[in-house]
């Protein structure tokens, strides 16, 4: 069981819930970081007894994230938003620290590098995303070879909308997720279905499967968080009410299970669970994700960087919702692709993506 943690991204939704779990189970918090919310960061540091030198604002000193992540004998909870989480993840791994990963962009942009570093350093990466936590729990129940991963998706704010209807949706609508309370960026990603595409690439790296072995299924109730089909045809699913405290706690206390203060699941209260295929015509980013996943190299990095930029433009009121996917596809097609991958290539790729986007407002 985790005895002490370093929490990167402490003022976001995952960070706040991680501290709730730490408090409930007397887990020591050694270091904290936030992007820019200094007031909340200082309040958290005071409550958990974190030394001032073990806190940082990444907006002012991003390099210190890597320094904090390298404090030894800790589990590093990476709840940073975006590809900025990649270097701190590598810093934690190279220091021999277990990584509890809520930052999917780390594996999307640099999965091959991260997984190799984890193997070389004999370090565990424990997923916090509810879907990947569910897959991990399903795999713990069986030694059978994986046939297929069933990655569930709520469908986001615009499930059932047509392409024409998406042209008139507002930011407020996009930020209203039916089941989860999340940060703005991931909520928009859920609405475009890009979040599920990023999770597909993350699952490929975490569980060593191809994109063909991952089926994305819309499940509006968000009760089955994901499932695994094994070679004998058996399917094991992980179910619970949608509450991120459960996968966070599982990552921090693994392999133990401890009481968690979430609402217990009653199947009779729910009554029924429904499933459907994604509408690839209305939400084209899923197919683009599979294309990038098949190409490999820096292609997922291009996709991720273009998505981060397009979502930021949408949240800042510069573009309409339906333009997000158009901009991502156009940028993906314009950016040079290579089968090779390294930190240098990732940095170069992200700069090239920004150059491709320079024509935008």
């Amino acid at each position: 069981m985790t005895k002490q943690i370093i929490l990167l991204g402490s003022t976001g939704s995952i960070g706040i819930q991680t501290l709730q779990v730490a408090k409930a189970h007397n887990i020591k918090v050694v270091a904290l970081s936030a992007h820019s919310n200094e007031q909340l960061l200082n309040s958290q540091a005071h409550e958990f007894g974190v030394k001032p030198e073990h806190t940082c604002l990444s907006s002012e000193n991003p390099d210190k994230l890597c320094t904090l992540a390298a404090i030894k004998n800790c589990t590093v909870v990476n709840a940073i938003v975006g590809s900025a989480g990649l270097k701190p993840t590598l810093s934690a791994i190279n220091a021999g620290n277990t990584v509890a990963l809520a930052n999917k962009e780390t594996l999307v942009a640099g999965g091959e590098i991260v997984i190799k570093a984890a193997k070389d350093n004999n370090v565990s990466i424990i997923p916090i995303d509810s879907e990947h936590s569910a897959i991990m729990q399903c795999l713990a129940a069986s030694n059978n070879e994986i046939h297929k991963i069933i990655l569930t998706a709520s469908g986001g704010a615009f499930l059932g909308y047509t392409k024409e209807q998406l042209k008139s949706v507002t930011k407020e609508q996009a930020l209203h997720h039916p089941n989860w309370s999340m940060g703005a960026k991931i909520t928009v990603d859920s609405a475009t279905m890009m979040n599920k595409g990023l999770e597909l690439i993350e699952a490929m790296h975490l569980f060593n499967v191809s994109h063909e072995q991952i089926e994305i299924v819309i499940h509006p109730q968000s009760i089955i968080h994901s499932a695994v089909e094994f070679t004998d045809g058996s399917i094991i699913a992980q179910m619970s009410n949608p509450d991120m405290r459960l996968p966070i706690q599982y990552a921090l206390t693994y392999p133990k299970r401890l009481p968690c203060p979430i609402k217990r699941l009653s199947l009779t209260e729910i009554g029924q669970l429904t499933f459907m295929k994604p509408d690839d015509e209305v939400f084209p980013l899923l197919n683009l994700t599979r294309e990038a996943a098949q190409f490999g190299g820096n292609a997922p990095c291009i996709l991720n960087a273009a998505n981060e930029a397009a979502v930021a433009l949408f949240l800042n009121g510069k573009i309409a919702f339906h333009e997000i996917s158009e901009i991502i596809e156009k940028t993906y097609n314009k950016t040079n692709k290579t089968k090779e991958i390294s930190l240098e290539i990732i940095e170069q790729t992200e700069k090239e993506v920004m150059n491709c986007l320079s024509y935008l407002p």
Side-chain angles (χ1 to χ4, degrees), residues 57-332:
L57 289 174
S58 59
S59 59
E60 298 178 2
N61 188 1
D63 293 339
K64 193 173 180 183
L65 289 173
C66 293
T67 302
L68 294 183
I71 298 172
K72 290 189 176 293
N73 302 316
C74 296
T75 291
V76 176
V77 181
N78 188 340
I80 296 170
V81 176
S83 60
L86 174 57
K87 287 184 179 179
T89 296
L90 289 171
S91 181
I93 290 171
N94 291 330
N97 288 331
T98 297
V99 176
L101 191 64
N103 173 259
K104 61 178 64 66
E105 293 88 352
T106 282
L107 291 178
V108 174
E112 294 176 40
I113 301 168
V114 172
I115 296 301
K116 182 180 185 303
K119 288 180 179 178
D120 290 346
N121 288 278
N122 195 28
V123 163
S124 297
I125 300 175
I126 304 176
I128 283 180
D129 268 353
S130 62
E131 295 84 358
H132 301 88
S133 176
I135 295 164
M136 181 179 175
Q137 293 177 62
C138 292
L139 290 174
S142 176
N143 292 321
N144 283 353
E145 186 179 346
I146 298 174
H147 174 68
K148 179 173 68 176
I149 285 172
I150 300 168
L151 195 64
T152 56
S154 68
F158 303 127
L159 178 63
Y161 278 55
T162 64
K163 290 183 76 172
E164 194 62 31
Q165 287 174 314
L166 288 182
K167 291 181 180 179
S168 59
V169 300
T170 66
K171 182 170 80 170
E172 288 71 27
Q173 287 176 293
L175 291 174
H176 183 69
H177 195 283
N179 301 332
W180 297 95
S181 176
M182 307 179 291
K185 193 262 183 184
I186 190 174
T187 305
V188 174
D189 283 349
S190 178
T192 64
M193 292 293 290
M194 174 57 99
N195 191 49
K196 209 51 51 179
L198 299 179
E199 288 177 0
L200 179 146
I201 296 174
E202 184 181 9
M204 288 171 59
H205 291 295
L206 283 171
F207 306 112
N208 193 28
V209 295
S210 68
H211 76 91
E212 292 96 343
Q213 288 178 278
I214 302 174
E215 179 186 6
I216 295 175
V217 174
I218 303 295
H219 170 48
Q221 294 86 7
S222 296
I223 296 298
I224 291 180
H225 298 291
S226 278
V228 177
E229 180 182 343
F230 296 95
T231 51
D232 62 359
S234 297
I235 294 178
I236 296 178
Q238 187 267 327
M239 305 168 68
S240 69
N241 279 311
D243 191 317
M244 282 305 299
R245 289 175 294 177
L246 183 58
I248 290 169
Q249 179 175 298
Y250 187 73
L252 298 187
T253 64
Y254 177 82
K256 290 186 177 181
R257 290 186 184 271
L258 299 177
C260 189
I262 69 169
K263 181 183 178 183
R264 295 285 168 155
L265 179 64
S266 169
L267 295 178
T268 53
E269 283 182 13
I270 295 167
Q272 62 180 0
L273 302 174
T274 55
F275 308 92
M276 62 194 80
K277 291 182 178 181
D279 189 331
D280 293 334
E281 190 173 325
V282 178
F283 301 101
L285 292 176
L286 287 178
N287 282 336
L288 191 62
T289 300
R290 288 190 184 275
E291 182 181 328
Q294 185 168 11
F295 187 93
N298 73 335
C301 177
I302 295 169
L303 200 68
N304 182 68
N307 180 62
E308 287 187 22
V311 171
L313 287 169
F314 170 69
L315 291 172
N316 289 327
K318 301 291 182 66
I319 62 171
F321 179 83
H322 73 277
E323 292 178 290
I324 296 174
S325 59
E326 295 170 7
I327 288 170
I328 292 170
E329 185 170 7
K330 185 179 293 185
T331 305
Y332 178 81

